[in-house]
Amino acid sequence: MSGPLLLIGFPLAMAPVVYALGRRPARQAAAALAVAALLSLVVLRLPMGEPLDALGIDFSLDRSMFVLGRSFTFDIPQRPALLFVYMAATVQFASALVTPVHRTFLPAGIAALALCSAALLVEPFLFAAIFLQLLASVGLAMLAAPETRAQRGPVRFLVYMTLGMPFVLLTGWLVEGSAISPGDPALVWRATLLLAAGFAILLGVVPFHTWMPQVAEESPPHATALVLSLVHGSATFLMLRFFNEFEWLRSNPDVYRALHVAGLALVVVGGLTGLVQRSLARWMGYAVMVDVGATLLAIGLGTSAGVSIALMTIASRTFGLAAWAVGLAHVRLARPGADGEALLRGAMWQRPAASVALVAGALSMVGVPLTVGFVGRWALIEQLAPISLSTTLALLAATAGLAVACARGLALLLERPDEDRERTDEPVQVRALALVVVAALFVLGLFPQLLMPAVARAVLSLGNLAGA
Amino acid sequence: MPDSNAANSMLVAVLLVLTSGCLAVSRNWRVSLAALTLQVAGVAMLVGDILPARVALVKLVAGWSACGILFLACRHNVLRRGRSVSAPVASTFGYLPFRLIAAVMVAIVASVASQAPSLALPGLASGAKLACVAMLAMALLHLGTTEEPVQVGIGLLTLLAGFEILYAALEPSIMVIGLLALVTITLAWTLSALAMRSAARTADGVTA
């Protein structure tokens, strides 16, 4: 049996099964969780290409699968990225056990896992751009839930993901077809420009960022968290593979300057606009922008430490988004139809555990000490300060801007509720879930060494970047 | 014979410029879907000049399937709402004359840009180049002037079709062609579902 077939075919086959369980939400969530957890186990434990013995049956998982002349190959560099994708989904699917989600969210989420696997395993890896576009189409099914009032954000998200794909594919043609070499500056310049445009669109660099706050505001929180984690995670891994693969890209100082500028633009715009937000939903879109900006600044350092920081930032973002999603979903459940300040005012008294999860997720996204978000942010500031003081100050200012808006949200959450508003009992399972996600944020913030080995392995798997 | 091929290719290219222009200008779903159906046939003809006929057939089937999906969604919405799915947009972009003038300007710029020596690509005839540049430019104009899901879907399909003409000459891999066909159908399917949900919500809102 082929390993890639298991990682792509199994979730694709399970998606309709999970959809069929839609009338029983708990079973649907349990089935989705089992699929994601099983995929994580396969990637973590099963050795590919070696003989295995299970229940007396000898078998082996081949590393490669060939489809119409192209291959899907499981290799060491893909392992950390795949594990990240499956773990991110596991967290979101686990929260669906106690959070009402739309019927299509879980099957679409499982199909998204198959597409992410395909994007990470396809060879030549340039074709991953097509799978990212398909991922965006499936993401739209998750983001545009029936209860969604507006659809501008999800539609815009799909438009940008589709616009980004041709640029990456054309770069692939230039690179592969023309046997690009540093001795041909015109071709290098053209390929670099195309690649920069493609990733700027895929990652939502200013001015292609407008979908992020809109999606965060309009879509269900768990869908937003999963889609943002998967899309940004996969796109960043794809970008790092380009750096790892092509020396002409890795050795071009202009590329790192461009990454620095793109990251700075995201940090400044996200920080400034996040400062004036009254809705913690929309605010999260800007917080993600600052976080993506920080990731680009880290990669722009051009060192292996920078790559480690970028991967750490991506991993911690997943935890922050998960806590925020759990919190916001349950605060919204308690106050259907409310938005902005009305949604937050006095919610701490009505849904204390969910409110704590919401605030903890937001604080982690800001990069407040003791949370997991602080680890990557602090490391970035340490690395960045000697190189560019102005960028470091901009990053600190953006963090402060987000923190002010977050503090405003916290003040609203803590306001005494109106006399006529009844205190609702928060289900014990919601409290348990909130406790788990908040504990994860703080435990990983206090003991980042729990995450560091995985990050170090991911950097080592990108052989050419590890020694930079 | 090569001259007649070039003339045919140019004729198809002109048809594609007209259909993509019509798609960028029109907000009537019947006109748009008719133009899209023609556009898919034109693209398949141009791709058929570059790749084997059966590959062009894949693009034709995928494109027409997408048209069918969009048609069903529009028809469903019309039956549900009792009016056109393309409600006028209250903005500058909503005005027909604005879109018409913009489309003419885009067509002129595209025809000039397609002659640029920097766009010389191996295996791509001048007609295919014109069609490709014009469709990409018209699609961007279309996407910039609408937010309605079906119209966005038509804009994205035009963009993808323009890119497919270019990419067929560069990367003739069967898997990529199959994946792009899958992208075409998935785009139509997801945006149609979104349009139908949107119409259902509007209808429910009106009823309530």
Side-chain angles (χ1 to χ4, degrees):
Chain A
M1 191 183 178
S2 144
L5 179 65
L6 183 69
L7 298 177
I8 300 166
F10 173 62
L12 268 188
M14 284 304 290
V17 176
V18 171
Y19 182 77
L21 292 170
R23 286 176 192 277
R24 297 174 181 206
R27 287 187 191 181
Q28 194 190 32
L33 180 61
V35 171
L38 195 67
L39 289 171
S40 307
L41 269 179
V42 167
V43 171
L44 202 60
R45 292 278 169 220
L46 280 189
M48 302 262 179
E50 291 173 25
L52 294 164
D53 180 18
L55 302 169
I57 304 166
D58 292 332
F59 70 101
S60 74
L61 290 173
D62 296 336
R63 283 183 180 278
S64 295
M65 172 176 78
F66 291 90
V67 180
L68 297 171
R70 300 287 170 179
S71 72
F72 292 86
T73 305
F74 181 92
D75 225 330
I76 295 166
Q78 285 95 332
R79 191 185 288 266
L82 283 168
L83 199 60
F84 161 77
V85 163
Y86 299 149
M87 295 301 273
T90 304
V91 173
Q92 288 307 323
F93 295 165
S95 83
L97 282 169
V98 295
T99 312
V101 293
H102 180 249
R103 188 175 176 174
T104 52
F105 169 66
L106 292 165
I110 291 178
L113 290 188
L115 292 168
C116 276
S117 309
L120 292 167
L121 298 177
V122 69
E123 292 290 346
F125 69 92
L126 312 150
F127 296 144
I130 305 179
F131 289 104
L132 281 183
Q133 197 289 329
L134 286 168
L135 173 64
S137 290
V138 172
L140 184 74
M142 290 190 262
L143 293 172
E147 68 267 23
T148 311
R149 284 153 296 173
Q151 300 163 336
R152 281 184 179 185
V155 169
R156 212 171 271 187
F157 158 72
L158 182 64
V159 169
Y160 282 130
M161 291 296 124
T162 310
L163 280 177
M165 176 187 72
F167 289 100
V168 180
L169 287 178
L170 286 176
T171 311
W173 166 72
L174 271 181
V175 170
E176 299 276 313
S178 308
I180 200 162
S181 66
D184 192 344
L187 269 180
V188 168
W189 180 237
R190 220 183 262 191
T192 309
L193 270 186
L194 278 174
L195 199 62
F199 279 109
I201 298 170
L202 289 177
L203 290 169
V205 170
V206 179
F208 308 109
H209 65 284
T210 50
W211 61 270
M212 273 188 271
Q214 280 186 320
V215 160
E217 186 179 30
E218 295 167 4
S219 300
H222 41 269
T224 305
L226 184 59
V227 170
L228 286 178
S229 299
L230 294 187
V231 166
H232 278 144
S234 304
T236 311
F237 281 123
L238 180 61
M239 186 166 77
L240 287 174
R241 284 191 76 184
F242 267 97
F243 275 95
N244 187 44
E245 202 76 21
F246 301 115
E247 208 273 331
W248 55 266
L249 187 66
R250 217 168 39 240
S251 59
N252 186 350
D254 289 338
V255 170
Y256 294 106
R257 254 175 248 136
L259 279 169
H260 190 95
V261 172
L264 183 62
L266 271 170
V267 163
V268 170
V269 173
L272 279 178
T273 36
L275 171 68
V276 295
Q277 294 308 310
R278 303 242 162 222
S279 150
L280 266 186
R282 196 173 171 83
W283 174 90
M284 183 49 84
Y286 292 108
V288 171
M289 277 174 65
V290 172
D291 214 50
V292 173
T295 311
L296 294 181
L297 285 174
I299 299 171
L301 290 171
T303 60
S304 62
V307 177
S308 300
I309 294 167
L311 294 176
M312 185 70 197
T313 306
I314 293 171
S316 54
R317 189 189 310 154
T318 306
F319 286 101
L321 278 169
W324 166 83
V326 167
L328 187 62
H330 286 280
V331 168
R332 273 187 182 166
L333 271 179
R335 297 172 172 193
D339 201 7
E341 291 186 4
L343 177 74
L344 298 179
R345 186 162 285 129
M348 189 70 86
W349 306 92
Q350 216 176 359
R351 290 281 163 129
S355 302
V356 167
L358 176 62
V359 173
L363 289 177
S364 179
M365 290 300 294
V366 170
V368 167
L370 302 183
T371 63
V372 65
F374 174 73
V375 182
R377 197 60 61 84
W378 181 249
L380 176 61
I381 288 168
E382 265 191 342
Q383 295 281 323
L384 202 59
I387 298 166
S388 171
L389 190 62
S390 54
T391 307
T392 312
L393 289 175
L395 183 60
L396 285 170
T399 304
L402 291 175
V404 167
C406 187
R408 206 165 43 226
L410 180 62
L412 282 169
L413 283 167
L414 286 169
E415 264 186 33
R416 279 275 173 194
D418 302 337
E419 292 296 322
D420 57 342
R421 186 171 271 164
E422 286 179 22
R423 184 174 170 158
T424 343
D425 285 331
E426 198 169 37
V428 68
Q429 58 269 39
V430 174
R431 290 185 178 192
L433 178 67
L435 180 72
V436 169
V437 290
V438 172
L441 284 183
F442 286 102
V443 168
L444 291 172
L446 287 169
F447 306 103
Q449 59 270 34
L450 293 172
L451 262 182
M452 283 318 285
V455 171
R457 271 199 299 275
V459 177
L460 277 177
S461 69
L462 297 161
N464 292 324
L465 295 178
Chain B
M1 283 304 280
D3 284 349
S4 93
N5 275 350
N8 283 345
S9 139
M10 191 50 85
L11 210 63
V12 176
V14 172
L15 169 82
L16 288 175
V17 174
L18 290 175
T19 53
S20 59
C22 175
L23 289 171
V25 172
S26 167
R27 289 295 177 269
N28 180 309
W29 68 271
R30 289 181 181 86
V31 174
S32 292
L33 288 183
L36 188 64
T37 310
L38 258 180
Q39 181 175 280
V40 169
V43 169
M45 284 163 77
L46 279 187
V47 171
D49 288 345
I50 305 164
L51 297 173
R54 63 175 187 279
V55 175
L57 198 66
V58 171
K59 293 206 182 292
L60 190 70
V61 170
W64 279 354
S65 302
C67 292
I69 294 167
L70 289 172
F71 172 79
L72 288 175
C74 292
R75 182 102 185 113
H76 173 274
N77 287 358
V78 168
L79 290 175
R80 182 145 191 157
R81 281 190 200 174
R83 62 182 173 85
S84 165
V85 285
S86 306
V89 185
S91 72
T92 311
F93 304 132
Y95 295 118
L96 180 70
F98 168 80
R99 295 198 302 269
L100 195 62
I101 293 168
V104 171
M105 286 167 69
V106 165
I108 293 167
V109 171
S111 64
V112 174
S114 67
Q115 309 300 320
S118 57
L119 273 179
L121 290 164
L124 207 61
S126 57
K129 222 162 45 178
L130 168 66
C132 168
V133 174
M135 285 168 76
L136 290 173
M138 290 292 185
L140 288 179
L141 171 67
H142 193 173
L143 291 169
T145 54
T146 185
E147 287 190 324
E148 200 269 320
V150 169
Q151 288 295 333
V152 169
I154 291 170
L156 286 177
L157 290 176
T158 306
L159 182 100
L160 206 58
F163 172 70
E164 278 183 287
I165 297 173
L166 170 72
Y167 207 56
L170 307 178
E171 175 64 63
S173 155
I174 299 288
M175 191 185 87
V176 174
I177 288 159
L179 282 174
L180 287 175
L182 187 64
V183 168
T184 302
I185 292 173
T186 317
L187 267 178
W189 179 58
T190 47
L191 286 163
S192 295
L194 193 63
M196 285 162 72
R197 275 185 192 173
S198 168
R201 209 169 24 245
T202 309
D204 292 346
V206 170
T207 314

